[in-house]
Amino acid sequence: MAETVFFNRDLSWLGFNERVLLEAAKDTVPILERIKFLSIYSSNLDEFYRVRMPVLMAVDEHRQNADGQGNYELAKAEINRQQRKFGAIVAEQILPELANHDIHWIYNKFIPNQITDQVVNLFFNEVLAYIYSICIDKDLTDFFAENNKLYQLVILKDALGEERLELINVPTDSLQRLYSLQDDGHTYVVFLEDIIKYNLSYLFPNDTIQGVYNLKITRDAELKIDNTTEEDITTVLERQLETRDFGFATRFLIEPGIPLRSLYRLIYALKLGNASVVEGGGYHNLKDLNSFPLNGASFSYPKWPSIHSVPIPGNETLFSLILKEDVLVNVPYQSYDPILRFFNEAANDVFVDEIYTTLYRVANNSRIVSALMTAARNGKKVVALVELKARFDEANNIKWAKQMKAAGVKIIYSSVDLKVHAKVALAKRVISEKEEFLGLLATGNLNESTAKFYTDQILLTSHKPMLKELQSIFGFLSKSKKAPGSEDQIDFKHLLVAQFNLQQKFLNLIQREIDNAKAGLVNGITIKLNNLEEKILISKLYEASKAGVKVQLIVRGICCLVPGKAGLSDNITVTRIVDRYLEHGRIFIFENNGNKEIFMGSADWMNRNIYSRIEVCFPLYDTKLKDIIMKIVNLQLQDNAQESIYKFLKDINTI
């Protein structure tokens, strides 16, 4: 019997990020989009160093693989390999392609004479006001190298031959990172740090510059909240957010060529002894390539205008339509307007007396939150579960929670140990003492900004039995104690809810396909996820494969399941989609002897989702909507999936 095996989760995630990087190498992708994929790769890697590398560093000395090499070292080696590939893609593909369009990106090159006067003027007119220097050997008493900020190490010799080190800030938080300069019809793109470097002799007129090297420090981003604290969680989080960028250093990213004696002096002075020293390219923080100054329609993807897919006659409302039939919105292909309208109608419908919702990542200028505050001012009972521990969105969520509370919205928070990751909303209407429910259940955040580039599914329904279960979930979440006990058992017949029935229900659904395979009945499993890690569910999929069940997986990121292994996973395939949109929806399809059952929802199959979050998955009952989801998923299992999906949804909207 084949041994049950699992991929390493961190190496799997790094494999996903390499898949992002490979999009930058495709000559079929427009050049500006290729540069943006370089930006996404860099941003992802920064987050990995802030979130995962501290974990790997902590356990490395206790747990090693069979070769005696810890996971931290394995990850570091893989990152170094990818960084070399990154540099090769830029040098061998991106720069020549830009040059073909007479756009000259000054990347690891001297600034050409044609633009030196412009570079000097930029330095004195715009840059110099934000520059400061720190002498490494003298001025470090109160200096702290900030997280993910760029610096330049300048090695100088004075008139007596004495060497000293100066640290120069690169003020990307105040100025743009890349400048587009024109000369005689030619375009040159120059980094801010190269503008500074070219003018350093002005800052040090009495010294000889021996070398200039770009640096960046990445720090641990973990927030540590004591679950026994009696303080208000917003107070605790705000205090920790103020110090997040002052965590211990996990990575010291350096430009190649720094003399070792200077590097050691710098490490000692900046207290970076425990950080991983990584030799990168000549430039860091390349997530800033997201704003690469390049205009022209031919340089970007062709526009796909959002499809308006929910036609509502002028004498009707969205609510009246939902009361007649389920509505499914597939963003970003289809317009997000129906979701905004759901909240707007709930806020102003005279029959709505209660509104409940979960908020995980809130848009910076959220019209959804504005509608909730309007509803509260209109005298409706509005309850919002705000997840304050949504990583890197904590401050924004705290801001909105305070504003909603001031407007009369009842704010509830999840517990320290149990995040609420569900994406749901509920409006209750009362007409002649009769209750009606209208619900919103989604695979992605209620966030109109991310809905422009995350692929998600949102179901709008008036299915009363399902929504009564949703009402019970909000009742549970409103309690001060968030860990479900015996008194909190809810008889879920429709919804799958983590901490209650989600894992067991999925195990049962897989088992039914196994039983059908053994009985010679129609069987099969197709699942789309962001991440797949949880070993009990993976082992059940292995069991299904060994029973002859065809298992098709679409997994964007982490995938600890090993497909195609003889005797274990022969019948399992894994597809990874990286395209212009970020695949984010979670879809679960079970053949059920020809009577397909389809679920969608917020839950990945990760340990955190299964064991330490409230997640909600929901069934799709409408036959027409099932057919749409099946068509989308089948297209996703093919090449060029996103363009095909857009054309499909556009076509059915015109029928």
Side-chain angles (χ1 to χ4, degrees):
M1 181 178 292
E3 177 189 3
T4 299
V5 294
F6 304 95
F7 276 136
N8 176 283
R9 64 157 284 172
D10 294 296
L11 294 180
S12 177
W13 185 92
L14 289 170
F16 153 69
N17 207 30
E18 182 175 22
R19 177 67 182 82
V20 172
L21 179 59
L22 291 176
E23 287 296 295
K26 287 185 176 180
D27 57 13
T28 55
V29 175
I31 185 63
L32 184 57
E33 305 299 341
R34 294 167 68 182
I35 294 171
K36 287 180 179 179
F37 277 114
L38 294 175
S39 165
I40 294 167
Y41 171 86
S42 182
S43 179
N44 287 346
L45 190 57
D46 280 346
E47 183 171 341
F48 185 82
Y49 261 98
R50 294 199 74 188
V51 175
R52 287 303 302 171
M53 282 304 233
V55 176
L56 298 182
M57 290 170 72
V59 303
D60 217 32
E61 61 188 66
H62 302 294
R63 185 176 8 175
Q64 295 183 326
N65 69 6
D67 299 324
Q69 189 175 22
N71 289 329
Y72 171 78
E73 292 298 330
L74 288 171
K76 184 177 174 181
E78 175 61 17
I79 290 167
N80 289 340
R81 184 187 67 80
Q82 291 181 15
Q83 292 285 65
R84 291 192 293 273
K85 180 176 288 189
F86 185 106
I89 290 171
V90 173
E92 298 168 15
Q93 296 180 258
I94 301 298
L95 294 178
E97 177 65 18
L98 287 172
N100 288 340
H101 297 280
D102 201 10
I103 298 164
H104 307 281
W105 184 11
I106 311 306
Y107 191 100
N108 289 332
K109 300 176 185 176
F110 292 110
I111 292 176
N113 292 332
Q114 297 93 313
I115 60 170
T116 53
D117 288 347
Q118 294 185 62
V119 167
V120 171
N121 287 332
L122 268 174
F123 178 76
F124 281 97
N125 296 337
E126 296 187 27
V127 178
L128 189 54
Y130 301 98
I131 295 295
Y132 61 82
S133 64
I134 299 290
C135 181
I136 290 300
D137 301 311
K138 297 178 181 177
D139 302 332
L140 284 175
T141 305
D142 299 318
F143 177 74
F144 184 86
E146 295 183 63
N147 173 67
N148 275 352
K149 297 294 177 66
L150 296 178
Y151 297 94
Q152 287 185 334
L153 174 68
V154 185
I155 304 174
L156 301 165
K157 271 191 179 179
D158 63 19
L160 299 176
E162 291 292 323
E163 183 180 276
R164 79 176 190 277
L165 305 182
E166 294 276 349
L167 204 61
I168 302 289
N169 70 309
V170 180
T172 55
D173 49 354
S174 303
L175 300 170
Q176 65 196 69
R177 178 75 184 284
L178 290 153
Y179 289 80
S180 179
L181 305 178
Q182 309 297 319
D183 178 76
D184 196 23
H186 306 292
T187 299
Y188 299 87
V189 177
V190 186
F191 280 102
L192 174 59
E193 50 264 52
D194 284 340
I195 294 173
I196 297 170
K197 182 177 180 179
Y198 186 81
N199 290 278
L200 282 175
S201 59
Y202 170 79
L203 296 177
F204 308 107
N206 300 319
D207 301 295
T208 302
I209 298 173
Q210 302 292 302
V212 184
Y213 305 93
N214 294 319
L215 313 169
K216 186 179 83 166
I217 295 162
T218 304
R219 297 187 179 275
D220 180 16
E222 190 64 30
L223 300 177
K224 299 170 179 64
I225 306 171
D226 183 358
N227 60 10
T228 63
T229 182
E230 295 182 1
E231 284 188 278
D232 178 74
I233 190 172
T234 59
T235 302
V236 176
L237 274 173
E238 284 180 308
R239 187 166 60 243
Q240 292 213 11
L241 286 171
E242 291 175 357
T243 62
R244 168 179 264 170
D245 285 342
F246 297 89
F248 74 87
T250 59
R251 176 178 59 164
F252 183 28
L253 188 57
I254 63 173
E255 183 176 346
I258 299 179
L260 282 178
R261 67 180 184 280
S262 299
L263 179 61
Y264 291 147
R265 284 168 64 188
L266 191 59
I267 290 172
Y268 175 78
L270 298 181
K271 301 179 176 61
L272 302 176
N274 292 323
S276 173
V277 179
V278 178
E279 191 175 84
Y283 303 97
H284 315 310
N285 257 18
L286 291 179
K287 62 184 179 182
D288 293 338
L289 295 180
N290 187 52
S291 56
F292 194 89
L294 182 59
N295 296 316
S298 63
F299 298 140
S300 300
Y301 285 127
K303 298 295 183 184
W304 290 351
S306 292
I307 302 162
H308 293 278
S309 59
V310 186
I312 304 171
N315 60 344
E316 287 198 35
T317 64
L318 175 64
F319 277 11
S320 64
L321 177 62
I322 298 171
L323 288 167
K324 289 188 288 189
E325 61 180 357
D326 286 355
V327 173
L328 182 67
V329 181
N330 300 277
V331 295
Y333 307 104
Q334 295 174 321
S335 170
Y336 199 68
D337 286 349
I339 285 72
L340 299 176
R341 182 164 177 168
F342 178 92
F343 286 96
N344 291 341
E345 288 192 16
N348 292 282
D349 187 312
V350 295
F351 299 111
V352 171
D353 65 350
E354 297 180 14
I355 303 170
Y356 301 85
T357 191
T358 58
L359 296 171
Y360 190 76
R361 297 191 190 276
V362 184
N364 288 332
N365 298 298
S366 176
R367 286 176 284 171
I368 290 174
V369 171
S370 296
L372 295 174
M373 292 191 290
T374 296
R377 294 185 183 111
N378 285 341
K380 303 180 190 300
K381 178 183 177 182
V382 183
V383 179
L385 186 292
V386 181
E387 179 49 72
L388 295 182
K389 303 183 297 300
R391 183 178 283 131
F392 302 124
D393 279 274
E394 300 95 342
N396 189 52
N397 287 3
I398 289 171
K399 176 197 77 171
W400 279 119
K402 289 181 175 179
Q403 290 188 28
M404 284 189 286
K405 192 172 183 179
V409 176
K410 180 182 177 183
I411 301 297
I412 53 179
Y413 303 119
S414 63
S415 68
V416 171
D417 296 325
L418 190 65
K419 280 188 179 182
V420 177
H421 191 247
K423 291 82 168 64
V424 291
L426 179 67
K428 190 186 82 172
R429 304 172 93 210
V430 179
I431 304 176
S432 301
E433 299 184 355
K434 180 183 177 182
E435 289 184 342
E436 288 180 344
F437 292 94
L438 298 110
L440 181 157
L441 302 103
T443 67
N445 299 308
L446 303 181
N447 183 317
E448 56 267 41
S449 297
T450 57
K452 295 176 183 177
F453 53 92
Y454 283 24
T455 70
D456 276 304
Q457 282 72 38
I458 303 105
L459 176 68
L460 305 174
T461 184
S462 60
H463 189 285
K464 192 166 185 178
M466 188 193 308
L467 298 181
K468 289 288 285 183
E469 294 180 7
L470 187 56
Q471 185 184 39
S472 297
I473 294 172
F474 280 110
F476 164 72
L477 294 176
S478 297
K479 296 180 180 180
S480 58
K481 179 179 73 68
K482 295 297 191 297
S486 57
E487 73 280 7
D488 297 309
Q489 295 309 305
I490 303 169
D491 185 19
F492 289 111
K493 290 183 169 59
H494 303 277
L495 298 180
L496 283 59
V497 184
Q499 311 311 309
F500 290 89
N501 68 332
L502 183 142
Q503 184 186 46
Q504 189 57 53
K505 178 66 174 179
F506 278 131
L507 291 172
N508 293 345
L509 289 167
I510 298 170
Q511 183 61 50
R512 186 180 62 192
E513 299 305 313
I514 293 171
D515 294 341
N516 286 344
K518 292 178 178 178
L521 303 176
V522 176
N523 63 87
I525 299 170
T526 304
I527 296 174
K528 179 186 176 186
L529 295 161
N530 294 335
N531 299 295
L532 175 58
E533 174 199 31
E534 202 278 329
K535 291 184 177 180
I536 293 176
L537 288 163
I538 291 176
S539 297
K540 197 68 177 178
L541 291 176
Y542 284 152
E543 183 183 342
S545 173
K546 288 188 282 187
V549 179
K550 181 181 179 182
V551 180
Q552 300 179 99
L553 303 176
I554 303 172
V555 186
R556 186 193 79 209
I558 296 167
C559 183
C560 295
L561 179 147
V562 180
K565 187 173 179 63
L568 179 70
S569 54
D570 314 65
N571 294 307
I572 302 179
T573 59
V574 177
T575 299
R576 175 176 274 155
I577 301 170
V578 177
D579 207 332
R580 70 163 70 185
Y581 298 141
L582 180 76
E583 294 294 335
H584 193 252
R586 293 88 166 180
I587 301 171
F588 310 87
I589 302 168
F590 301 91
E591 288 298 324
N592 189 28
N593 193 27
N595 184 23
K596 287 185 177 66
E597 283 199 68
I598 299 178
F599 294 86
M600 300 184 294
S602 63
D604 284 319
W605 284 3
M606 296 279 285
N607 293 332
R608 64 191 184 197
N609 303 90
I610 301 299
Y611 300 116
S612 59
R613 291 184 176 183
I614 296 290
E615 306 275 4
V616 174
C617 290
F618 51 93
L620 203 57
Y621 290 135
D622 185 281
T623 302
K624 180 179 68 175
L625 300 185
K626 280 186 176 183
D627 290 342
I628 291 173
I629 288 296
M630 286 303 306
K631 178 66 173 179
I632 289 173
V633 170
N634 286 333
L635 288 171
Q636 287 173 331
L637 291 167
Q638 302 170 21
D639 289 336
N640 203 22
Q642 292 188 349
E643 183 176 2
S644 300
I645 291 168
Y646 180 74
K647 290 178 179 177
F648 161 66
L649 291 172
K650 189 175 181 180
D651 287 345
I652 64 171
N653 191 55
T654 58
I655 294 174

